[in-house]
Amino acid sequence: MRVNHVGEVCAQGLYNAQALTTSDPALRSQMLRAAEEETDHLRWTRDRLDSLGARPSLLNPLWYGGAFTLGLLAGRMGDAWSLGFVRETERQVEAHLDGHLDRLPPADVASRAVVERMKADEAAHAAWAQEAGARPLPPGVSTLMRMAARVMTTVAYRI
Ligand SMILES: [Fe+2]
Ligand SMILES: [Fe+2]
């Protein structure tokens, strides 16, 4: 759940940066709307951590800064690439949450409910980005993103 919480911290950084970098007002408000839903996710995962007696990642300021920088970079590539980055990110998060559901104990109904709801929201974010004109990312970029996510999840699991 700490890893999921870090993911939502990153989502804040990404969407806020990408809302800042687009010059299209409609796209900006959609980015901010997605960021708002990510704020719900942030709260739900934090609440679960608290009830489980676990702490959030100590590196959260770092995760946020890294994600914000990545969001700025994606945003500066233009809206189609920026949306492509959103779609790929959300798909990878959805796959991660799916894997987490497989590992979560069936008895932890509260955590399962949070993860299931977030998974549905992330899928909707990917679908929205697709409709808004996401450009498919080169396979090398998706692989790099997956590798970066693996480093993040491994570190955040512990620290
Ligand atoms: Fe989320
Ligand atoms: Fe999302």
Side-chain angles (χ1 to χ4, degrees), residues 1 4 44-45 47-49 51-52 97 100-101 104-118:
M1 198 52 71
N4 295 342
W44 301 338
T45 47
D47 286 350
R48 278 314 294 149
L49 276 181
S51 344
L52 293 163
L97 293 175
H100 190 204
L101 275 176
L104 267 176
D108 191 350
V109 179
S111 294
R112 298 190 67 86
V114 163
V115 173
E116 262 161 22
R117 175 64 197 279
M118 293 200 309

Side-chain angles (χ1 to χ4, degrees), residues 4-53:
N4 295 342
H5 182 255
V6 167
E8 299 303 332
V9 168
C10 291
Q12 294 294 316
L14 289 172
Y15 275 116
N16 285 328
Q18 284 175 275
L20 269 179
T21 42
T22 179
S23 51
D24 177 350
L27 185 56
R28 179 173 309 124
S29 58
Q30 279 203 294
M31 291 277 188
L32 291 175
R33 223 187 57 202
E36 237 175 75
E37 290 187 8
E38 306 293 2
T39 311
D40 291 338
H41 299 176
L42 191 67
R43 203 180 53 246
W44 301 338
T45 47
R46 180 61 203 251
D47 286 350
R48 278 314 294 149
L49 276 181
D50 289 347
S51 344
L52 293 163

